[in-house]
Amino acid sequence: MCGIVGYVGGQSALDVVVAGLKRLEYRGYDSAGVAVLADGGLATAKKAGKLVNLEKELKDRPLPSGSTALGHTRWATHGGPTDANAHPHLDNAGRVAVVHNGIIENFALLRAELITRGHDVVSETDSEVVGHLLAESFSSCGDLAEAMRQVCRRLEGAFTLVAVHADEPGVVVGARRNSPLVVGVGDGEYFLASDVTAFIDHTRAAIELGQDQVVELRRDGVTITDFAGDTADVRSYHVDWDASAAEKGGYDYFMLKEIAEQPKAVADTLLGRIDVAGSLTLDEIRIPAEVLREATKVVIVACGTAFHAGLIAKYAIEHWTRIPCEVELASEFRYRDPILDERTLVIAISQSGETMDTLMAVRHAREQGARVLAICNTNGSTIPRESDAVLYTHAGPEVAVASTKAFLTQLVACYLVALYLGQVRGTQAGDEIRAVIRDLAEISTAVERVLETMEPVRELARSLAAKNTVLFLGRHVGYPVALEGALKLKELAYMHAEGFAAGELKHGPIALIDEDLPVVVVVPSPRGHSVLHDKIVSNIQEIRARGARTIVIAEEGDETVSPYADHLIRIPVTPALLQPLVATVPLQVFACELATARGNEVDQPRNLAKSVTVE
Ligand code: F6R
C-alpha cells in the first residue's frame, strides 16, 4: 500500500528517489510524485497512473537538482487516482512536502479545523491535512522533526510519513505508526523507504524504525526519537540479499522469475533447520517447549494466499500433533470475539509482515494472552516484531503482486512448525519426523521437475484466453490448492474463477457446469488416500457427463484418471500431505500465461497492491 522513498546525500536526490520508487511500484501504482529541495525552495511533480507517467513529466519538465528529496507511489484509499490526489501534498505556502502511506482516521475532523483556520485544502485525500499541520507547527517551533512529533501526536490511524521543508534544506524527516519505514545507512548519505528494496543498490546497512518513532536524516547522521521526543532504542541490521535478487534477471515478469525461483526458495527455507542426523532444529522458535506442550489449540490467521497456506497447514498440524487447529481470515478474526487464552498458540502467516488485518489479529491474540508465532518472509517487518517468535521463510524478495514463491515457502515453514509441535509434544516419533524431513528435502527437485514440463500448461492457458469462467476442484489438501488456483486466476486474468471442495459440488455449484466449461481438478494421490482418490474420480465423471472440459492434475503413474481427463497435467509423486507443494505450481503458471494472453499486467494487476497496510 503506497511506496515511500526519502533521500539526503551527495547523489542527485531525484534520481535516487525515482529509482527507489521503481522498486516500490509493486506497493501501489495509481499515481506517483516527487519533491526536491533546491535553490532555497521546493519543486514538485506528480502524475496520475504508473510511474512512467511521472518519468515522462520529469523528462518534459525537469526539476532543479538537489541533494534532498522524497517520492511516493500510491495505492488509492481516500480520493481517486488523479494528479491532485497524488502525493506529495504541500502546505498553502508550498514550503512543506509530505508523503503518506496508511489511513489517517481522524482526517475529517482535522481537515474541518484547518479550513476554519483559513487553509485551502485542495485534494480529497486524508494525507493532505498533514502538510498543513506540519507547516503550522513548523512556523512556531522552526524544527521539522519537532513539528512531525507534534503532528503525529494528533493523528489517529496508521501512517508512515516522510516530509521535507524548504526552510530546513538537507533534512528529511520520517515517522511511523502501524505502517512500515526503514532507514538505509550509506556513507555520507541516508535513505528512508517503505522497504529495503528501494535502496539496496546503494547500501545493505539498515535501521529498523520502531512503532511511534520519528527519524531525522541529515548527511552527517540520523536521530531517532519517540513521538514525545525521547531518544528511542533502535535495531541496526544487514540485509542479506543484494540488488540482483530484486531484478527481473532476464524474465519478462517478476512473477515468472519468482515461479522459477521456487526450487531454491523451498530448499533455502529448509536450510539450517535440519541437523546432520536429519532431525529438526528450530531453535529460532523461542516459545518455551512446555508452552507448546501445553497448548490446547492452534489458531492460524492470515489473508489471501497466506490464508490458503494456513488451510493446508491445518491438515498437517492436526494429523501430526492431534491438536485442534482453526484457520481464520485475519480480517474476520478479532471481530467475532474469538476464544483465546494463554494455552492457545496463534500462528500468523504473512509474506510482507505488514498486512494490517493480520497485524491486528496478532495484537488481539496477544492481548488475550495467546502466544503468537509469525511465519514471515520480510526481516524486521512489523508482524514478526510484535509476535513472540518468528520462523522466517527464505524466499528472498517477492516483487510480483501475486504471491508464488512466498506461498511455497510458507507451506514448508508450516510443515516444519507442525513437525516441531509433534516433536515437542511427543506425538511423532523421531523416525517419522526424519522421514517427512527427507520427503521435504526432495521437494525442491520435484518442483524443478514440474517447472520443466510446463509448456503444455502454457499452451492450454493460451487456448482458454477467451473464456469467462474457470472452476477449480480439490479434496483434502487439494481443496486449498483449488482455492489458490482460483485466486491466482482472478487476480491476474480478471476472470471469474472459483475453488470448491469437490464433494460440495453436488450441493449447489454443479449447476454452474455447462458445455465446455473448463474445470481444473486437483487429484489426491491414489496411495494413502485411496478413498478420496476414488471419490474425486467420480466427481470428475460427474462434471464430464455434464459437458465440462476437465483439466486434471494428477500424480505420475495414476492411470485411473486418464480416461476422464481432457487435459492431463502430471506432477511428481509426493506424500499426500506435501502434494500442494507441487500441485500449486502448474496453477501459478496457468494463471500467469492466461493473464499474459489476455494482455493484462502480470506483475501489477489492476486495483491491487503487494503490501496491504490498511484494514
Ligand atoms: C495473492 C496475494 C495476496 C496476499 C495477501 C496477504 O497472490 O499475494 O492474497 O497473500 O494479501 O499478504 P501477506 O502474505 O503479505 O500478509
Side-chain angles (χ1 to χ4, degrees):
M1 298 282 112
C2 303
I4 287 181
V5 188
Y7 174 78
V8 58
Q11 306 186 55
S12 156
L14 216 46
D15 290 349
V16 172
V17 163
V18 171
L21 290 179
K22 261 188 207 154
R23 285 272 170 76
L24 295 186
E25 209 182 3
Y26 70 85
R27 299 179 67 88
Y29 28 84
D30 290 330
S31 64
V34 288
V36 59
L37 293 181
D39 311 329
L42 184 66
T44 63
K46 47 193 205 171
K47 273 282 162 215
K50 295 200 166 194
L51 189 61
V52 287
N53 297 357
L54 175 69
E55 287 180 295
K56 183 170 178 308
E57 171 75 8
L58 289 171
K59 211 164 153 215
D60 296 346
R61 274 174 286 279
L63 297 183
S65 66
S67 59
T68 311
L70 51 73
H72 186 266
T73 177
R74 180 170 187 241
W75 185 81
T77 57
H78 294 58
T82 60
D83 287 357
N85 290 335
H87 299 217
H89 291 287
L90 310 184
D91 66 317
N92 289 142
R95 305 295 286 170
V96 181
V98 66
V99 291
H100 166 226
N101 170 28
I103 291 178
I104 293 165
E105 286 170 358
N106 57 337
F107 88 98
L109 185 77
L110 296 169
R111 185 187 167 105
E113 276 179 22
L114 285 163
I115 291 169
T116 319
R117 291 201 292 272
H119 291 264
D120 187 11
V121 180
V122 295
S123 77
E124 302 158 291
T125 67
D126 53 335
S127 317
E128 187 189 341
V129 295
V130 179
H132 297 280
L133 291 170
L134 280 173
E136 281 186 343
S137 288
F138 187 89
S139 67
S140 57
C141 71
D143 174 345
L144 187 57
E146 176 50 25
M148 183 64 95
R149 285 187 284 270
Q150 290 176 6
V151 171
C152 286
R153 294 199 291 267
R154 299 207 55 204
L155 303 180
E156 288 166 19
F159 48 87
T160 294
L161 297 164
V162 173
V164 291
H165 197 299
D167 293 345
E168 233 184 339
V171 173
V172 180
V173 169
R176 77 167 284 261
R177 168 180 287 169
N178 293 337
S179 200
L181 188 62
V182 208
V183 181
V185 181
D187 189 8
E189 58 181 0
Y190 288 88
F191 307 79
L192 273 177
S194 306
D195 78 47
V196 295
T197 47
F199 54 72
I200 195 75
D201 279 331
H202 307 279
T203 179
R204 287 162 74 177
I207 300 173
E208 205 176 275
L209 212 59
Q211 178 75 338
D212 285 7
Q213 292 185 350
V214 168
V215 58
E216 182 190 70
L217 309 186
R218 295 172 182 270
R219 281 188 69 171
D220 57 359
V222 297
T223 312
I224 300 177
T225 68
D226 60 20
F227 285 176
D230 296 323
T231 308
D233 289 340
V234 295
R235 188 181 84 88
S236 302
Y237 65 103
H238 183 78
V239 182
D240 56 8
W241 45 270
D242 61 16
S244 66
E247 299 288 354
K248 284 189 200 154
Y251 289 89
D252 288 344
Y253 308 112
F254 278 109
M255 186 178 176
L256 287 173
K257 173 177 173 254
E258 289 161 8
I259 288 173
E261 283 171 345
Q262 293 185 111
K264 181 170 184 306
V266 164
D268 286 353
T269 301
L270 291 172
L271 217 62
R273 289 163 175 167
I274 298 167
D275 66 17
V276 278
S279 303
L280 198 55
T281 52
L282 286 190
D283 302 341
E284 56 218 288
I285 299 189
R286 296 184 319 264
I287 299 175
E290 57 273 19
V291 172
L292 298 178
R293 263 194 293 275
E294 281 163 22
T296 50
K297 74 171 169 182
V298 174
V299 179
I300 300 178
V301 288
C303 304
T305 288
F307 172 70
H308 297 155
L311 290 176
I312 293 165
K314 174 184 167 78
Y315 290 85
I317 290 171
E318 292 193 337
H319 183 70
W320 288 333
T321 73
R322 309 309 297 155
I323 316 174
C325 176
E326 298 166 13
V327 191
E328 180 121 7
L329 287 168
S331 53
E332 290 293 319
F333 182 65
R334 66 182 170 134
Y335 300 105
R336 69 164 177 88
D337 196 11
I339 301 165
L340 303 165
D341 59 26
E342 55 291 337
R343 295 182 71 186
T344 311
L345 174 66
V346 171
I347 302 177
I349 310 175
S350 174
Q351 187 285 129
S352 61
E354 299 293 349
T355 300
M356 187 58 76
D357 291 315
T358 311
L359 176 61
M360 290 304 164
V362 166
R363 286 188 183 159
H364 183 78
R366 293 196 78 207
E367 277 160 22
Q368 309 300 309
R371 301 293 179 121
V372 179
L373 168 66
I375 291 179
C376 183
N377 194 42
T378 311
N379 202 304
S381 55
T382 310
I383 290 171
R385 261 208 328 259
E386 296 204 11
S387 299
D388 295 287
V390 55
L391 189 65
Y392 280 109
T393 51
H394 296 155
E398 191 179 66
V399 176
V401 164
S403 189
T404 53
K405 61 176 180 170
F407 176 68
L408 256 58
T409 58
Q410 284 163 353
L411 288 180
V412 172
C414 286
Y415 292 126
L416 291 178
V417 170
L419 290 174
Y420 186 68
L421 285 173
Q423 185 169 293
V424 297
R425 295 169 71 98
T427 51
Q428 283 266 289
D431 285 358
E432 292 169 306
I433 293 173
R434 277 191 291 278
V436 180
I437 287 175
R438 271 197 305 278
D439 292 331
L440 276 171
E442 283 172 17
I443 291 294
S444 168
T445 315
V447 173
E448 220 163 83
R449 281 182 41 217
V450 176
L451 289 170
E452 282 161 9
T453 57
M454 284 298 94
E455 194 41 47
V457 173
R458 283 190 279 270
E459 245 171 62
L460 171 66
R462 289 193 290 273
S463 76
L464 298 177
K467 294 280 179 197
N468 295 319
T469 301
V470 180
L471 301 186
F472 295 76
L473 306 182
R475 275 181 181 263
H476 191 251
V477 287
Y479 167 42
V481 173
L483 295 175
E484 176 61 6
L487 175 60
K488 283 283 147 317
L489 205 61
K490 279 183 250 203
E491 69 180 319
L492 291 164
Y494 317 151
M495 286 167 82
H496 170 228
E498 281 193 67
F500 296 109
E504 269 298 292
L505 207 63
K506 57 190 176 296
H507 299 291
I510 200 162
L512 289 169
I513 307 283
D514 63 13
E515 208 52 40
D516 213 31
L517 177 79
V519 182
V520 179
V521 188
V522 184
V523 178
S525 164
R527 299 157 305 105
H529 276 285
S530 56
V531 182
L532 279 184
H533 180 270
D534 296 349
K535 292 211 185 316
I536 211 157
V537 173
S538 306
N539 298 141
I540 299 173
Q541 292 179 55
E542 286 155 18
I543 55 173
R544 204 153 183 265
R546 288 161 177 82
R549 179 169 354 164
T550 55
I551 301 162
V552 176
I553 300 180
E555 222 177 71
E556 285 159 358
D558 177 2
E559 294 310 332
T560 41
V561 289
S562 310
Y564 318 112
D566 294 311
H567 304 269
L568 191 52
I569 301 170
R570 289 295 189 188
I571 51 174
V573 175
T574 58
L577 274 172
L578 305 189
Q579 198 200 49
L581 287 163
V582 288
T584 308
V585 177
L587 301 181
Q588 299 167 340
V589 173
F590 181 71
C592 183
E593 191 68 23
L594 240 163
T596 311
R598 287 163 74 98
N600 295 354
E601 295 259 8
V602 169
D603 285 337
Q604 296 175 342
R606 70 184 180 200
N607 305 336
L608 287 169
K610 182 75 182 159
S611 184
V612 187
T613 53
V614 293
E615 266 190 280

